[in-house]
């Protein structure tokens, strides 16, 4: 039983299956521009939550949970395993539609920090603290820390939903925030999924004995979603001759009845060419017959299997060979097994009973994504990688998906191969059992591993597209390490800036890490600081009670960072950023003096640096927003502050400081 995320990519064109239990959604990681990540993490997270909301059926008690959320900003959600409690928590947060803040998962014991840290909560954040699987000690510590966390949530006008362990205790002072939910009616969840699969209601409202038996077992939410998806596939394979009852009967038996039959079929099909066709059909199930044919031939080449020397016209044609393994092309030319779920049983058999061929299966999969055939689409490539990743996850080898991604990202790497590498690692990161271990491995690689080939690009994409939507703090740390190692192009730094732009809390945290928490900032940290310390973002409250520039902690970070900039790098490098700073001051209204003061404070009493700032202001006057006159006014105001910093009388403020001297480094 599971209440969290799992990942499947069986039907990338739309929702696969999900419900109040496990959320299963498409991993769509097309590369697009190789130098850029995909959609923003905030958009990805919102899209995932939107999909869940479409699939969601309210469990009993959901209305009370909503009222509690709105009244107190905190809900401690309690429910039995398999009741859909984590999905309910996500929906409670998604429904808020906050203009500020982001959705985040808090993970006690990982990198985000203690729950008592006030910096953990940003304005308007929607926080999920999932402790459904927590042990007794972890749950006890969390209850101790909840008061401090709730205080921060209230102060920041955020919202918090805690999923507590089913057998966990809750003290009296926390009971007012508790909401109990119970699983929704199985049949309603099942029908919601069929509606999302666009199956007409007049079909699924009919009686089906197999469905009645399934409902009577009160299965976990994830099993309901899987069952609905099998019904969809049974209907697609036999839309005319069978009815709803038969589709349900086929779906009910599919998961468990084919293992022995597959073993017998493989034992019977001794010829390498037929076994290759069987494997290719299972891995490429639903693909065009041409793709299946090319896939089987590819496996034979990889295994260096001698070709059949019989004349081509004397051999069996593809249709006959497919019939021998229980498959056939449909009217659209796409090949499927006659029996529902048979393809999964075949994949499991080859992986489990031919372990010496697993490395070859890896090679075949990545080469399969690169086959030159008009019928090979992005959807098919994604599905192929997912089916291989399923074997790793099913057999307890989820962490090895990272090493598979590393192998696939080696030079030379085609676009399809990089997509495959990203998709394989994404499947592991989304898995509940391996996500934490893989995030740690990604951190170690970003921080210190020699990144050969295109591995840096793969890590960048999984940070932005997979980790950042739910764990932005962890993604920020990893992107920072990648950005520090960049030379020339700066895709990781660009992604880091984009991530910081999604949340004032993230920008504040990153500025703090780059300055005050770094005893000896490196030249790379200085370069990152100039990009992250954007004056427009610092002066825009973005819905918060006050902008970052008015916070004492941010003030200290900015002064420290600019002091490092002004003393450690050449004026030619920092001048464009200083000009942007001065131009922002032209239109910053009440924040004009604060922006100028921060630069002057960073320069200290160093006359050479103050003179350099003055000359920069003069150079920025012609391009100032509002014209040269406004730029000149900013220069004059800056000069007044420089004079004050140097202890000069007000009358001396009209005299420019001495020309800049050479900065000692």
């Amino acid at each position: 039983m599971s209440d969290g995320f799992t990942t499947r990519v069986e039907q990338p064109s739309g929702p696969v299956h999900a419900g109040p239990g496990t959320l299963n959604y498409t991993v769509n990681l097309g590369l697009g521009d190789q130098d850029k990540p995909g959609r923003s993490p905030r958009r990805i997270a919102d899209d995932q939550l939107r999909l869940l909301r479409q699939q969601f059926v309210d469990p009993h008690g959901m209305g009370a949970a909503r009222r509690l959320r709105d009244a107190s900003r905190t809900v401690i959600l309690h429910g039995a395993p398999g009741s859909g409690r984590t999905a309910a928590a996500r929906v409670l947060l998604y429904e808020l539609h906050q203009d500020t803040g982001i959705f985040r998962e808090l993970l006690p014991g990982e990198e985000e920090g203690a729950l008592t840290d006030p910096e953990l909560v940003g304005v308007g954040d929607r926080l999920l603290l999932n402790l459904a699987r927590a042990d007794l000690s972890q749950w006890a510590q969390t209850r101790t820390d909840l008061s401090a966390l709730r205080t921060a949530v209230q102060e920041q006008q955020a919202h918090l939903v805690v999923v507590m362990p089913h057998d966990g205790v809750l003290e009296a002072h926390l009971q007012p925030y508790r909401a109990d939910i119970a699983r929704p009616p199985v049949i309603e969840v099942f029908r919601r999924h069929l509606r999302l699969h666009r199956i007409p209601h007049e079909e699924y409202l009919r009686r089906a004995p197999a469905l009645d038996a399934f409902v009577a077992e009160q299965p976990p939410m994830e099993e309901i979603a899987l069952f609905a998806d099998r019904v969809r596939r049974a209907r697609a394979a036999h839309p005319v001759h069978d009815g709803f009852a038969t589709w349900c009967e086929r779906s009910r038996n599919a998961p468990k009845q084919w293992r022995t039959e597959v073993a017998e079929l493989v034992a019977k099909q001794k010829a390498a060419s037929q076994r290759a066709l069987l494997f290719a059909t299972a891995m490429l199930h639903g693909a065009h017959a041409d793709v299946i044919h090319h896939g089987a031939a590819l496996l034979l080449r990889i295994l260096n299997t001698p070709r059949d020397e019989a004349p081509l016209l004397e051999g069996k044609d593809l249709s006959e060979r497919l019939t021998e393994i229980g498959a056939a092309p449909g009217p659209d030319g796409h090949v499927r097994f006659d029996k529902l779920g048979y393809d999964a049983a075949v994949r499991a058999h080859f992986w489990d009973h031919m372990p010496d061929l697993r490395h070859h299966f890896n090679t075949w999969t990545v080469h399969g994504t690169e086959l030159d055939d008009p019928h090979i689409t992005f959807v098919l490539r994604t599905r192929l990688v997912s089916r291989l990743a399923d074997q790793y996850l099913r057999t307890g080898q989820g962490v090895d998906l990272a090493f598979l991604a590393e192998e696939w990202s080696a030079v030379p790497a085609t676009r399809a191969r990089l997509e495959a590498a990203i998709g394989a690692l994404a499947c592991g990161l989304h898995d509940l059992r391996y996500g934490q271990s893989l995030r740690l491995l990604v951190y170690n690689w970003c921080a210190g591993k020699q990144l050969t080939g295109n591995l840096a690009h793969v890590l960048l994409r999984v940070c932005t597209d997979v980790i950042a939507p739910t764990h932005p703090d962890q993604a920020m740390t990893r992107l920072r390490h990648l950005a520090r190692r960049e030379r020339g192009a700066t895709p990781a730094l660009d992604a880091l800036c984009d991530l910081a732009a999604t949340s004032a809390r993230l920008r504040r945290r990153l500025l703090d890490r780059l300055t005050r928490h770094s005893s000896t900032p490196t030249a790379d940290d200085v370069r990152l600081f100039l990009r992250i310390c954007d004056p427009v973002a610092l002066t825009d409250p973005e819905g918060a009670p006050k902008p970052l520039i008015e916070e004492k902690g941010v003030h200290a970070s900015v002064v420290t960072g600019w002091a490092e900039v002004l003393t450690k790098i050449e004026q030619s490098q920092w001048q464009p950023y200083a000009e942007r700073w001065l131009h922002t001051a032209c239109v910053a209204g009440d924040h004009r003096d604060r922006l100028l003061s921060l630069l002057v404070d960073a320069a200290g009493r160093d006359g050479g640096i103050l003179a350099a700032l003055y000359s920069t202001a003069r150079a920025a006057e012609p391009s100032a927003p509002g014209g040269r006159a406004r730029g000149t006014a900013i220069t004059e105001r800056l000069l007044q502050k420089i004079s004050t910093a140097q202890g000069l009388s007000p009358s001396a403020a009209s005299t420019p400081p001495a020309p800049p001297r050479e900065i000692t480094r």
Side-chain angles (χ1 to χ4, degrees), residues 422-605:
I422 295 167
L425 184 50
C427 288
L429 284 165
H430 279 305
D431 190 89
L432 284 175
R433 295 163 296 173
Y434 303 107
Q436 181 175 350
S437 297
L438 281 170
R439 287 194 299 272
L440 178 59
L441 181 60
V442 168
Y443 172 84
N444 291 332
W445 283 7
C446 290
K449 182 179 177 63
Q450 183 178 357
L451 303 179
T452 59
N454 293 280
L455 183 57
H457 180 75
V458 171
L459 295 175
L460 165 62
R461 290 302 303 277
V462 297
C463 284
T464 56
D465 292 358
V466 183
I467 299 177
T470 51
H471 307 94
D473 294 69
Q474 293 193 20
M476 183 176 70
T477 302
R478 286 149 182 76
L479 288 172
R480 178 191 169 193
H481 283 297
L482 286 177
R484 293 175 72 179
R485 303 169 68 178
E486 288 180 323
R487 298 295 180 268
T490 60
L493 178 53
D494 294 341
L496 182 62
C497 293
D498 290 343
L499 180 57
T502 65
S503 165
R505 184 192 65 85
L506 288 177
R507 190 181 299 276
R508 178 194 305 114
R509 205 174 182 94
L510 184 53
L511 287 172
D512 191 58
R513 297 292 185 274
L514 289 170
T515 56
R516 295 192 293 163
H517 280 193
S518 181
S519 56
T520 55
T522 65
D524 293 320
D525 284 333
V526 171
R527 176 172 58 89
L528 268 57
F529 169 83
L530 283 172
R531 287 286 303 276
I532 298 299
C533 190
D534 180 64
V536 175
L538 294 179
T539 54
D540 185 355
E542 296 181 347
K546 62 181 180 180
L548 286 173
I549 199 170
E550 294 184 10
E551 298 180 12
K552 290 183 178 180
V554 174
H555 184 285
S557 294
V558 171
V559 170
T560 301
W562 265 110
E564 292 292 328
V565 168
L566 296 171
T567 57
K568 287 190 174 179
I569 64 175
E570 300 289 342
Q571 180 177 350
S572 60
Q573 294 178 270
W574 58 254
Q575 181 163 330
Y577 296 94
E579 288 184 1
R580 174 173 171 80
W581 197 273
L582 295 164
H583 286 166
T584 304
C586 290
V587 294
D590 295 341
H591 302 301
R592 180 197 67 173
D593 279 359
R594 194 182 299 270
L595 286 171
L596 299 178
S597 295
L598 287 172
L599 287 181
V600 174
D601 290 348
R605 299 178 66 87

Side-chain angles (χ1 to χ4, degrees), residues 27-31 34 362 365-367 369-370 378 381-386 388-389 392 398-430 438 442 445 452-463 465-466:
V27 177
N28 188 354
L29 294 175
L31 289 179
Q34 292 258 347
N362 293 341
T365 298
V366 72
H367 284 303
T369 66
E370 298 173 307
F378 172 77
R381 293 187 185 99
T382 306
R383 189 180 301 166
L384 176 59
V385 172
S386 174
L388 179 71
Y392 277 84
V399 175
D400 290 337
L401 287 170
F403 301 101
L404 182 63
E406 179 184 17
E407 176 186 337
W408 286 356
S409 64
V411 174
T414 62
R415 178 181 293 269
R417 183 175 292 236
L418 285 178
E419 288 174 349
I422 295 167
L425 184 50
C427 288
L429 284 165
H430 279 305
L438 281 170
V442 168
W445 283 7
T452 59
N454 293 280
L455 183 57
H457 180 75
V458 171
L459 295 175
L460 165 62
R461 290 302 303 277
V462 297
C463 284
D465 292 358
V466 183

Side-chain angles (χ1 to χ4, degrees), residues 315-336:
K316 299 176 182 178
D317 64 19
L318 182 59
S319 177
E320 185 179 358
R321 293 175 60 209
L322 287 170
T323 300
E324 290 179 349
I325 62 171
D332 58 357
H334 292 249
V335 176
R336 297 175 179 83

Side-chain angles (χ1 to χ4, degrees), residues 168-184:
V169 298
L170 204 61
E171 287 79 2
H173 71 280
L174 294 175
Q175 287 291 346
Y177 308 107
R178 172 170 168 165
D180 292 277
I181 64 167
R183 56 188 292 123

